[in-house]
């Protein structure tokens, strides 16, 4: 009897993506390491082997076919130039890749021509500049690029930004459009057959995303007001409606987006809904 091959999945071992990635996989029902020093973990219940690697290296391992799938940032995938492609967005680790220069100097993207730019993402940035015909000199730094201008290493910087606070504290201001909107993504190799187990993994991760972005809402409403309330909250596949013991009243259960849920409660109350409840979801298949 041939032993079934394990699906090999790379997970960030540290940094901003690591904890959220492991948490999402746990929510999807997969085992995860309990010791941060562990480099691998076999989840025999689901036939998956997890490898804990530097987020910047994950796209390379996946692109070269050593691993089947990986979780990394879109910015790191693009910077690597690896033969790997994005399969799905995972809903965490959001950031923007932006230019910044000394405040008050009227920087534009066009004025970068002939200048020195410090960045931790030279591959991504060089591609972006080449596509726009901008000739600049890139200086690769592994971190803290906001100090590069003050220290005379660069004229401008390009870096991942969450709030921009660090750049402003360094006397810099952002300019130009966002270069890349990044977040955590699931990736696979560009070529080759789809690995066995991918569909199950993707379905489980999608169920976690639905649970994260939606809530279950229950409320009671008089039959005369049912159409008005269900028009406001129609759900994904429509609401579930059942008869209450109280004459002329109905119980409604519907899936609603988490964003704006409390305003929706207010609006439904105005339309006659009562006993409105919101319930968090752990997982969901649609």
């Amino acid at each position: 009897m041939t032993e079934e091959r394990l699906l090999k999945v790379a997970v960030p071992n540290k940094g901003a993506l690591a904890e959220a990635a492991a948490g999402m996989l746990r929510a999807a029902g997969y085992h995860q390491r309990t010791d941060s020093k562990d480099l691998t973990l076999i989840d025999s219940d689901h036939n998956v082997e997890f490898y804990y690697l530097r987020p910047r290296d994950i796209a390379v391992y996946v692109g070269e076919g050593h691993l089947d799938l990986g979780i990394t940032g879109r910015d790191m995938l693009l910077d690597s130039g690896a033969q790997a492609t994005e399969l799905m967005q995972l809903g965490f680790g959001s950031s923007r890749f932006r230019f910044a220069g000394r405040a008050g100097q009227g920087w534009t993207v066009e004025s970068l021509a002939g200048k020195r730019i410090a960045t931790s993402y030279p591959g991504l940035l060089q591609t972006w500049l080449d596509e726009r015909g901008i000739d600049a000199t890139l200086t690769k730094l592994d971190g803290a690029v906001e100090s590069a201008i003050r220290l005379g290493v660069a004229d401008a910087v390009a870096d991942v930004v969450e709030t921009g606070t660090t750049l402003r504290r360094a006397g810099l201001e952002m300019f130009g459009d966002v270069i890349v909107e990044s977040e955590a993504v699931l990736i696979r190799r560009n070529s080759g057959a789809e690995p066995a187990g991918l569909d199950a993994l993707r379905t489980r991760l999608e169920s976690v995303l639905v649970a994260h972005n939606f809530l279950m809402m229950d409320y009671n409403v008089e039959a005369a007001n049912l159409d008005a309330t269900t028009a406001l909250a129609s759900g994904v596949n429509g609401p579930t409606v059942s008869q209450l013991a109280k004459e002329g009243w109905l119980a409604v259960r519907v899936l609603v987006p988490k964003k704006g849920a409390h305003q929706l409660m207010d609006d439904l109350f105005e339309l006659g809904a009562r006993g409105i409840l919101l319930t968090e979801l752990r997982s969901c298949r649609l």
Side-chain angles (χ1 to χ4, degrees), residues 9-30:
V9 181
V11 183
N13 66 342
K14 59 183 178 180
L17 300 180
E19 185 176 347
M24 186 174 191
L25 288 165
R26 286 193 189 95
Y30 294 100

Side-chain angles (χ1 to χ4, degrees), residues 54 56 79 97 117-122 139-149 151 153-154 156-160 166-167 170 172:
R54 291 178 68 246
R56 281 186 169 274
D79 189 59
F97 194 56
I117 308 173
T119 184
S120 299
Y121 298 82
T139 300
K140 184 181 184 304
L141 299 176
D142 286 333
V145 299
E146 63 274 3
S147 299
I149 297 175
L151 296 173
V153 174
V157 300
D159 200 16
V160 172
T166 303
L167 292 174
L172 308 180

Side-chain angles (χ1 to χ4, degrees), residues 78-91:
L78 295 174
D79 189 59
S80 71
Q83 295 300 303
T85 189
E86 177 180 326
L87 289 178
M88 63 179 292
Q89 302 171 19
L90 298 179

Side-chain angles (χ1 to χ4, degrees), residues 11-142:
V11 183
N13 66 342
K14 59 183 178 180
L17 300 180
E19 185 176 347
M24 186 174 191
L25 288 165
R26 286 193 189 95
Y30 294 100
H31 302 305
Q32 288 295 288
R33 64 180 182 174
T34 55
D35 187 338
S36 62
K37 295 180 181 178
D38 290 342
L39 301 179
T40 63
L41 179 142
I42 295 178
D43 182 349
S44 55
D45 291 339
H46 301 100
N47 210 43
V48 179
E49 184 171 13
F50 294 102
Y51 290 78
Y52 298 91
L53 304 169
R54 291 178 68 246
R56 281 186 169 274
D57 297 336
I58 287 174
V60 176
Y61 283 108
V62 172
E64 292 184 357
H66 302 297
L67 299 173
D68 299 310
L69 304 169
I71 295 175
T72 189
R74 180 182 295 120
D75 51 357
M76 287 178 272
L77 168 63
L78 295 174
D79 189 59
S80 71
Q83 295 300 303
T85 189
E86 177 180 326
L87 289 178
M88 63 179 292
Q89 302 171 19
L90 298 179
F92 64 88
S94 296
S95 62
R96 297 167 298 156
F97 194 56
R98 299 288 306 271
F99 287 114
R102 287 190 186 276
Q105 293 192 352
W107 280 97
T108 65
V109 171
E110 291 72 23
S111 62
L112 289 170
K115 299 296 193 298
R116 299 167 300 158
I117 308 173
T119 184
S120 299
Y121 298 82
L124 186 163
L125 184 57
Q126 189 65 65
T127 298
W128 191 92
L129 293 170
D130 289 345
E131 289 173 351
R132 288 155 183 79
I134 299 173
D135 184 16
T137 300
L138 303 189
T139 300
K140 184 181 184 304
L141 299 176
D142 286 333

Side-chain angles (χ1 to χ4, degrees), residues 158-219:
D159 200 16
V160 172
V161 178
E162 292 184 7
T163 64
T165 301
T166 303
L167 292 174
R168 286 191 290 272
R169 285 175 178 169
L172 308 180
E173 63 181 9
M174 291 177 285
F175 64 90
D177 294 333
V178 174
I179 302 167
V180 170
E181 292 275 2
S182 185
E183 67 174 294
V185 293
L186 179 69
I187 65 171
R188 63 157 291 188
R189 191 180 183 187
N190 286 344
S191 59
E194 184 174 290
L198 169 57
D199 284 344
L201 176 68
R202 182 160 42 194
T203 298
R204 284 172 174 252
L205 293 178
E206 287 172 348
S207 75
V208 175
L209 286 175
V210 172
H212 178 74
N213 293 312
F214 286 83
L215 297 168
M216 184 62 72
M217 176 177 283
D218 293 272
Y219 64 88

